[in-house]
């Protein structure tokens, strides 16, 4: 497997992981709220954290498709 194939697979896995994390921030499951309360993170930060994860995921997935620029 060459470098572009390894990089493309890494970007795809990390992008999917970031999408999952962003979805969890927007859906607000109880375990995330409990962890945020335990660590003292305000719940008002959830949309911002989810947005940052979404932007990161989009960057990874778009960048993964534009490897020819390297």
């Amino acid at each position: 497997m060459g470098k572009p194939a390894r990089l493309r697979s890494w970007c795809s896995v990390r992008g999917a992981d970031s999408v999952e994390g962003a979805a969890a921030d927007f859906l607000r499951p109880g375990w995330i709220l409990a962890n945020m309360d335990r660590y003292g993170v305000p719940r008002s930060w959830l949309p911002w954290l989810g947005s940052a994860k979404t932007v990161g995921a989009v960057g990874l997935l778009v960048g993964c498709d534009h490897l020819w620029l390297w």
Side-chain angles (χ1 to χ4, degrees), residues 18-47:
S18 295
V19 167
E20 179 187 11
D25 286 345
F26 290 123
L27 295 175
R28 298 177 182 229
W31 63 273
I32 285 191
L33 298 177
N35 285 339
M36 290 185 69
D37 291 341
R38 184 175 357 154
Y39 290 109
V41 179
R43 290 185 182 191
S44 62
W45 287 14
L46 271 175

Side-chain angles (χ1 to χ4, degrees), residues 2-21:
K3 180 180 177 181
R6 285 194 311 264
L7 186 57
R8 186 167 277 130
S9 64
W10 182 86
C11 288
S12 299
V13 170
R14 291 301 306 145
D17 185 43
S18 295
V19 167
E20 179 187 11

Side-chain angles (χ1 to χ4, degrees), residues 43-69:
R43 290 185 182 191
S44 62
W45 287 14
L46 271 175
W48 296 104
L49 294 171
S51 298
K53 291 175 187 176
T54 301
V55 169
V58 168
L60 278 170
L61 295 174
V62 168
C64 182
D65 195 38
H66 291 81
L67 290 176
W68 57 271
L69 292 174

